[in-house]
């Protein structure tokens, strides 16, 4: 396992020696030749097959029969295991004569240790397919379990994003995985990413490769009816930031270099017209339904709409990527001290959506200069009146719009309410630096001083 010193030595080496393109964040040892164009000129959209419909979970058993599955690993967490979403899945498996074993020990906000526990379960099971029923924590754990089950000789860090791990591409054949999300949400059901808290450095990182994408995503809004208010709220802000960050990420044709082989085009490619369409849809849906979906648990229209938006934002981020709010969120979540979130268990946890949105007002004030019109458009899609507004005010207008949502949904007043003070800023910056894959998708280059400023400005937000 990498020592903390090794991680930061690596970081220093990479910052000094490597090309600063996001593509290099996880290419491992693949060499890019000098004749590669400095900027990319193409983007591509990859996605899991998505099936959406009220009650559609009843079909999962038939899907597994169609895959030829005989012995299925069902992954979930200890809370969901006794709730309707898991019950609906197991009913369908039983009706269709599928053998299964349930792993219900997924950790909410997983760590490398909890990923490894799920891998051990998978390795002991001789499974031919996987089904994940839950939020991002469950789906991400299931992707990792599938990967290391199918490559049992791999060292854990082999596949972890560089510079923390080796960022090895996934060439082994993975087992079919079906993802059934129950939050709205991470969009993990369509992405080739799994995120975990790397305990040794107190920051999140992940594994990212297109092969990790679930074969099928079953999007059943009925599952959101049991979502507690806090989870609907925080996971909704994850969708909110996915849409805003993928929409404002560096454009694909300003990121570079172009890959020498299309197979090497990075998963996160920057904003592009197709992911922009997803992001616009999500921002409009958020304007119409987000608050309703949080406060009215039985508002099936609002909850269904946010569930769909979550998957759509997943398609956006799964191809365009996210940037600074997520880059800063990983050490914010990883260094949690004593903040305990209602409905997320009893352990100190800063839920992902909360860790992401808390810096959003500062981040978008900072990035607006890259493309003021797009930042104004985002504010408008979220409900702000931008008529007659100046481009130079774009950052302030978008930040104010975000703050209105945060206030209406009673989000904590900045990092100080999550247990941080100015003294913590240097260690948070250190934890953000390994997130080069995300920082390089930010539309404006940023120094360590900029990151400190963004965190200082997020200590209190109202
Ligand atoms: N892979 C990706 O592309 C991606 C993207 C964003 C975030 N993430 C990761 O996903 C994780 C967060 O996932 P999340 O926000 O979906 O939440 P979660 O999976 O951590 O679940 C949060 C809590 O809500 C409960 N819950 C979930 N669905 C429920 C339901 N329908 N009814 C009742 N309770 C329910 C869970 O039991 C848990 O206690 C983080 O680790 C984050 O880093 C991954
Ligand atoms: Fe996210």
């Amino acid at each position: 396992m990498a020592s903390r010193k090794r991680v930061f030595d690596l970081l220093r080496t990479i910052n000094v020696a490597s090309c600063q393109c996001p593509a290099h964040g996880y290419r491992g040892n693949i060499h890019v030749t000098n004749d590669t164009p400095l900027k990319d000129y193409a983007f591509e959209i990859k996605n899991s097959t998505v099936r959406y419909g009220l009650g559609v979970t009843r079909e999962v058993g038939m899907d597994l029969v169609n895959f030829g599955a005989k012995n299925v690993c069902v992954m979930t967490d200890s809370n969901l295991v006794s709730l309707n979403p898991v019950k609906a899945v197991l009913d369908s498996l039983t009706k269709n004569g599928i053998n299964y074993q349930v792993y219900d020990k997924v950790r909410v906000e997983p760590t490398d240790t909890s990923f490894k526990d799920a891998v051990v379960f998978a390795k002991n099971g001789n499974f031919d397919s996987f089904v994940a029923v839950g939020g991002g924590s469950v789906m991400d754990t299931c992707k990792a379990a599938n990967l290391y089950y199918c490559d049992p000789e791999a060292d854990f860090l082999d596949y972890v994003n560089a510079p923390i791990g080796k960022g090895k591409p996934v060439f082994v054949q993975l087992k079919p995985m079906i993802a059934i999300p129950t939050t709205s949400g991470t969009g993990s059901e369509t992405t080739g990413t799994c995120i975990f808290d790397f305990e040794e450095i107190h920051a999140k990182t992940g594994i990212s490769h297109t092969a990790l994408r679930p074969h099928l995503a079953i999007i059943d809004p009925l599952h959101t009816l049991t979502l507690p208010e806090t989870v609907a709220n925080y996971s909704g802000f994850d969708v909110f930031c996915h849409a805003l960050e993928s929409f404002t990420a560096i454009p694909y044709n300003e990121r570079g270099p172009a890959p020498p082989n299309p197979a090497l085009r990075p998963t996160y490619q920057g904003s592009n017209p197709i992911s922009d369409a997803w992001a616009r849809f999500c921002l409009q849906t958020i304007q119409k339904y987000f608050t309703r979906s949080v406060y009215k648990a039985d508002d099936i229209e609002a909850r269904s709409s946010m569930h769909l938006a979550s998957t759509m934002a997943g398609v956006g981020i799964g191809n365009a990527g996210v940037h600074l709010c997520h880059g800063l969120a990983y050490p914010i979540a990883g260094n949690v001290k004593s903040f305990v979130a209602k409905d997320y268990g009893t352990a100190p946890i800063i839920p992902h959506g909360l860790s992401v949105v808390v810096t959003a007002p500062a981040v978008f004030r900072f990035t607006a200069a890259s493309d003021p019109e797009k930042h104004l458009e985002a504010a408008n899609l979220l409900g702000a009146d931008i008529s007659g507004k100046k481009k130079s005010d774009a950052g302030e207008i978008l930040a104010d719009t975000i703050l209105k949502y945060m206030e209406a949904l009673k989000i904590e007043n900045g990092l100080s309410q999550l247990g941080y003070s100015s003294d913590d800023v240097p260690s948070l910056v250190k934890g953000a630096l390994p997130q080069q894959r995300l920082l390089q998708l930010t539309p404006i280059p940023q120094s360590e001083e900029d990151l400190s400023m963004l965190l200082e400005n997020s200590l209190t937000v109202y």
Side-chain angles (χ1 to χ4, degrees):
M1 189 166 284
S3 70
R4 190 180 170 81
K5 180 172 177 310
R6 190 192 138 235
V7 169
F8 288 114
D9 284 351
L10 262 171
L11 265 179
R12 239 169 268 124
T13 314
I14 280 165
N15 279 341
V16 172
S18 79
C19 163
Q20 295 295 305
C21 77
H24 280 170
Y26 53 98
R27 277 186 181 183
N29 295 326
I30 294 168
H31 182 63
V32 176
T33 54
N34 286 339
D35 54 7
T36 311
L38 282 178
K39 296 278 167 71
D40 209 336
Y41 57 89
F43 66 92
E44 66 183 41
I45 301 291
K46 288 187 177 150
N47 193 19
S48 306
T49 299
V50 172
R51 187 186 301 146
Y52 172 91
L54 273 176
V56 70
T57 305
R58 70 170 72 95
E59 297 182 1
V60 64
M62 286 180 267
D63 288 310
L64 290 162
V65 171
N66 294 344
F67 287 165
K70 301 268 182 299
N71 188 24
V72 177
C73 178
V74 177
M75 293 210 158
T76 191
D77 66 36
S78 59
N79 169 40
L80 279 156
V81 74
S82 50
L83 299 180
N84 279 345
V86 172
K87 192 176 168 300
V89 170
L90 299 186
D91 280 355
S92 175
L93 266 56
T94 306
K95 272 192 194 125
N96 287 281
I98 298 281
N99 284 331
Y100 62 83
Q101 286 182 57
V102 176
Y103 177 80
D104 65 0
K105 294 193 179 59
V106 165
R107 188 184 191 277
V108 176
E109 306 280 328
T111 62
D112 46 320
T113 309
S114 74
F115 267 13
K116 286 175 194 163
D117 188 68
V119 173
V120 170
F121 181 86
K123 283 183 176 171
N124 289 333
N126 195 25
F127 298 114
D128 55 26
S129 41
F130 289 82
V131 175
V133 199
S137 298
V138 171
M139 293 186 279
D140 287 8
T141 302
C142 194
K143 289 176 191 173
N146 189 1
L147 173 62
Y148 292 100
Y149 170 68
C150 294
D151 190 358
E153 301 307 318
D155 181 72
F156 184 71
L157 284 176
D158 282 354
Y159 288 113
V160 172
N161 294 329
I164 293 168
K166 292 188 190 150
K168 212 175 120 180
V170 178
F171 292 128
V172 287
Q173 180 70 43
L174 301 191
K175 301 290 180 196
M177 172 182 161
I178 300 180
I180 308 183
T182 61
T183 58
S184 311
T186 63
S188 175
E189 64 276 11
T190 71
T191 71
T193 300
C194 55
I195 308 287
F196 64 95
D197 184 7
F198 192 33
E199 290 157 305
E200 206 173 299
I201 59 165
H202 297 290
K204 284 189 169 193
T205 181
I207 303 170
S208 191
H209 191 271
T210 187
L212 293 176
R213 277 198 170 82
H215 288 60
L216 172 64
I218 294 185
I219 318 297
D220 183 346
L222 281 183
H223 299 328
T224 63
L225 294 178
T226 53
L227 262 184
E229 185 179 301
T230 357
V231 182
N233 192 2
Y234 292 147
S235 60
F237 272 111
D238 193 20
V239 181
F240 189 101
C241 289
H242 288 167
L244 279 178
E245 287 174 65
S246 60
F247 193 57
T248 54
I250 187 170
Y252 73 95
N253 52 2
E254 286 178 23
R255 176 194 54 74
N261 180 310
L264 295 174
R265 187 158 276 113
T267 316
Y268 285 2
Q269 301 163 74
S271 61
N272 59 75
I274 296 183
S275 65
D276 282 359
W278 302 123
R280 286 191 179 95
F281 172 88
C282 289
L283 294 170
Q284 282 166 324
T285 305
I286 285 165
Q287 187 201 345
K288 203 160 168 195
Y289 295 113
F290 185 17
T291 313
R292 262 171 66 182
S293 81
V294 171
Y295 289 130
K296 291 188 191 153
D298 59 351
D299 185 338
I300 188 75
E301 185 191 1
R303 289 217 162 182
S304 300
S305 301
M306 283 302 291
H307 208 41
L308 187 57
S310 153
T311 299
M312 290 199 162
V315 180
I317 60 161
N319 293 284
V322 283
H323 57 82
L324 261 186
C325 301
H326 275 72
L328 294 171
Y330 290 166
I332 292 172
N335 284 281
V336 60
K337 297 173 183 181
S338 54
F339 184 84
V340 176
K342 192 169 168 279
D343 295 317
Y344 281 79
T346 51
I349 274 178
I350 301 177
H352 176 67
L354 174 58
S355 67
V356 167
V357 76
V358 71
T359 60
V363 163
F364 290 104
R365 265 186 214 111
F366 175 71
T367 57
S370 66
D371 190 343
E373 274 137 346
K374 229 172 168 186
H375 284 68
L376 279 174
E377 185 187 351
N380 185 235
L381 291 165
L382 286 168
D385 178 7
I386 57 161
S387 48
K389 295 290 192 284
K390 292 198 289 249
K391 282 192 201 173
S392 53
D393 294 333
E396 219 42 64
I397 291 167
L398 182 52
D400 284 350
T401 310
I402 297 167
L403 283 166
K404 275 193 190 127
Y405 280 86
M406 291 170 73
E407 227 170 344
L409 288 156
K410 305 190 184 80
I411 289 292
E412 285 71 6
N413 187 6
L415 290 169
S416 56
Q417 284 200 355
L418 308 186
Y420 293 112
S421 69
S422 279
D423 295 344
D424 299 304
V425 166
S427 60
L428 294 176
V429 170
K430 250 188 185 171
L433 290 175
Q435 317 301 332
Q436 287 301 313
R437 199 171 60 100
L438 306 184
L439 302 185
Q440 290 163 1
L441 284 171
T442 309
I444 291 190
Q446 71 292 154
S447 62
E448 283 190 39
E449 289 71 37
D450 291 327
L451 298 182
S452 299
M453 174 275 290
L454 294 172
L455 289 160
E456 287 282 352
N457 290 347
S458 303
L459 286 168
T460 53
V461 294
Y462 302 122

